[in-house]
Amino acid sequence: MYFLIFLSSILGALIAPVFSFPKFVIFLPFLFFKKREYFWILFFFLAFNILSVMNFNGEFEFVGRVIQTNDSYSLVKGDIFYDGKWEKLNVLVGVNKEIPLGDIVYYYGPFDAKKYSYPKVTLDKNRVIVSPYFSLVRNIYTKTENFREKILKYSKIYYGLFGGKVKDKIYSDSGLYHFFSISGLHISLIFAILTSVLTFFSLSDLSKKVIALMVSFLFLISCGNNLPSLRAFLYLFLVILFEKLLPKMSKIDILSFVGLFFLFFQPFLAYSLSFYMTFFSTFGILSVENNKLKPLAAFLGCAPFLSLFSNVNVFSIIGTFVLIIPFQIILISLMIAYFFYILNFSLVVDFILKLNLPITKFIEFISGIFSRFPKIPGGTITYFLFSLLFFAFLLHFGQIPYILKSKSSN
């Protein structure tokens, strides 16, 4: 049921700019109180429709703190001076430049809320004043930024895998850019690799998972706390928590719960393609049990949304199979190098980075090959075709929870 509630919440948020219900309508679901499924689906649909209404334009004073950042973009949470007093602004605002995590942002200027975008407001970066706020989170991020500058001198592959932005066209054309865009894939790989390594130590299963989760959190902060990574971390945390508290709750239910959690705090994520790509690629992975089909399921889950802003290289599925192990080797090597970098063991760091250079050359070679393959033109028609293909794939090889279930599904 969580999945249907999640879908109804998205629908409510999506139509809010076109039509929003009056607040008193929130009591309408109580007419279906005896039918719990109808009650919750309708309740969340109306609630997120009402929450997603935001109309303000003009010049305002704003003070906030950076909570997400990357090479060229930052998201800020803060307060706005409105109607003679300071009030919490319950939406994130964007700034088109990299600002260290935790820093204070001051702004005075126009606020133009856009109807169909996330974030709703983007500040004029020329009017933004940044004040450093020294904290543990900022120290981790700035220390990692220095590490990224060091590894960039060796390879752009290193840089991209550790939170940097790789702009070479061959990686986007090859369809393998998801390896270089920090996402849930990286958090999941680090968690899986560490839990496997920790099996050689006499630790309880819970202890192994907690240690792996802590290291994953360090990676999350060091790479800017972006949305896909945060979603993956929260999902893993809840999986571990609910194993003990709610053992009957399925992983797809947990994923849907995470989606609802994000929408509750930021309803305008309903207009973020990144949000859909990370959710439905994970949904695809969880919906099939055959491990060999999981990469295909992940691709089909994000392909419809990818096609809305770029061409789609369907051969990238093969490239993912070929490069998944080399990328795992480099990612875990970079984590080890980062650990020695913190300890100021420069010789060890240089040795690890040089040792893995042949693997980066192999990745560049394979990416170059796949970048030459033909691509499917993106657009609305491609979006619907890939959506239909994903739906058919889940009917045959997986499951569509609470909606339809094929004879060959679980």
Side-chain angles (χ1 to χ4, degrees):
M1 188 173 74
Y2 283 99
F3 182 68
L4 285 176
I5 291 173
F6 173 73
L7 292 181
S8 68
S9 301
I10 286 178
L11 182 61
L14 281 174
I15 68 170
V18 179
F19 178 79
S20 58
F21 291 92
K23 292 182 180 179
F24 69 83
V25 178
I26 197 68
F27 296 103
L28 183 63
F30 287 93
L31 296 174
F32 305 94
F33 187 73
K34 291 184 178 180
K35 296 181 179 180
R36 293 297 176 88
E37 287 189 10
Y38 296 123
F39 170 80
W40 288 116
I41 290 170
L42 184 57
F43 177 81
F44 275 87
F45 169 79
L46 293 172
F48 279 97
N49 178 265
I50 295 168
L51 282 172
S52 301
V53 176
M54 185 188 82
N55 293 309
F56 64 86
N57 291 283
E59 291 206 347
F60 300 97
E61 191 174 1
F62 172 81
V63 177
R65 183 170 294 174
V66 177
I67 64 168
Q68 292 180 25
T69 190
N70 60 30
D71 259 4
S72 58
Y73 201 76
S74 301
L75 287 173
V76 186
K77 176 75 173 174
D79 300 336
I80 189 171
F81 193 74
Y82 178 73
D83 199 21
K85 59 182 178 180
W86 286 98
E87 292 186 3
K88 285 282 182 187
L89 186 63
N90 294 321
V91 296
L92 299 181
V93 299
V95 183
N96 286 316
K97 69 176 183 178
E98 181 183 12
I99 306 172
L101 280 180
D103 276 11
I104 304 297
V105 168
Y106 174 80
Y107 173 84
Y108 180 78
F111 266 62
D112 298 316
K114 298 175 183 177
K115 278 189 175 182
Y116 309 105
S117 68
Y118 175 81
K120 282 284 184 182
V121 177
T122 300
L123 306 180
D124 181 355
K125 65 179 181 180
N126 297 317
R127 294 193 176 201
V128 167
I129 299 173
V130 179
S131 176
Y133 182 84
F134 296 99
S135 62
L136 178 60
V137 169
R138 189 185 196 278
N139 288 341
I140 292 172
Y141 182 79
T142 52
K143 185 78 173 178
T144 310
E145 191 65 19
N146 294 332
F147 178 68
R148 275 192 283 271
E149 291 176 5
K150 179 180 179 67
I151 61 179
L152 178 59
K153 296 174 184 177
Y154 284 88
S155 172
K156 292 179 181 178
I157 304 278
Y158 291 156
Y159 184 68
L161 271 175
F162 220 78
K165 191 171 184 178
V166 178
K167 299 178 182 178
D168 289 22
K169 201 169 184 294
I170 64 165
Y171 300 119
S172 55
D173 287 348
S174 67
L176 300 171
Y177 194 77
H178 53 281
F179 284 117
F180 303 100
S181 178
I182 297 299
S183 64
L185 171 66
H186 299 76
I187 297 292
S188 302
L189 283 176
I190 290 172
F191 182 83
I193 292 169
L194 283 173
T195 49
S196 298
V197 170
L198 291 170
T199 55
F200 295 101
F201 299 88
S202 55
L203 297 169
S204 67
D205 187 55
L206 180 60
S207 299
K208 287 183 288 188
K209 290 178 179 178
V210 169
I211 293 171
L213 202 62
M214 290 171 64
V215 176
S216 301
F217 181 73
L218 174 64
F219 182 79
L220 171 69
I221 296 300
S222 63
C223 291
N225 192 34
N226 68 33
L227 175 65
S229 302
L230 184 59
R231 191 273 311 153
F233 176 81
L234 184 59
Y235 168 76
L236 290 171
F237 173 77
L238 291 179
V239 166
I240 296 170
L241 182 66
F242 289 167
E243 276 180 349
K244 302 296 181 183
L245 299 179
L246 298 169
K248 292 183 179 180
M249 194 171 185
S250 73
K251 290 183 178 180
I252 289 180
D253 282 343
I254 296 173
L255 177 67
S256 302
F257 181 82
V258 171
L260 284 168
F261 177 83
F262 278 102
L263 282 174
F264 178 77
F265 287 100
Q266 290 298 313
F268 306 109
L269 279 170
Y271 295 98
S272 168
L273 289 178
S274 173
F275 178 68
Y276 291 117
M277 289 171 69
T278 186
F279 180 88
F280 283 101
S281 62
T282 308
F283 176 76
I285 291 170
L286 296 177
S287 293
V288 296
E289 286 193 347
N290 189 330
N291 289 329
K292 294 178 181 177
L293 290 175
K294 287 184 181 294
L296 177 59
F299 171 81
L300 291 176
C302 70
F305 309 102
L306 179 65
S307 68
L308 290 174
F309 62 87
S310 73
N311 298 332
V312 181
N313 188 337
V314 294
F315 298 97
S316 64
I317 303 169
I318 302 171
T320 299
F321 275 109
V322 174
L323 293 180
I324 187 68
I325 293 177
F327 272 112
Q328 287 183 44
I329 293 171
I330 290 183
L331 187 58
I332 198 66
S333 298
L334 287 174
M335 290 297 295
I336 295 170
Y338 180 61
F339 173 75
F340 283 109
Y341 178 80
I342 292 173
L343 298 176
N344 292 320
F345 289 177
S346 298
L347 290 176
V348 178
V349 174
D350 291 332
F351 174 75
I352 294 172
L353 296 176
K354 289 177 181 178
L355 186 66
N356 285 276
L357 282 176
I359 303 178
T360 65
K361 298 299 181 184
F362 175 72
I363 291 173
E364 289 176 8
F365 174 72
I366 296 297
S367 299
I369 292 175
F370 280 92
S371 68
R372 299 185 183 95
F373 287 173
K375 301 162 189 66
I376 298 175
T380 307
I381 295 175
T382 310
Y383 166 80
F384 284 110
L385 288 174
F386 270 120
S387 298
L388 183 62
L389 183 60
F390 183 48
F391 186 79
F393 174 84
L394 292 182
L395 279 177
H396 188 68
F397 293 107
Q399 56 178 320
I400 302 179
Y402 320 115
I403 303 173
L404 288 170
K405 223 177 187 184
S406 71
K407 291 180 181 179
S408 60
S409 74
N410 299 334

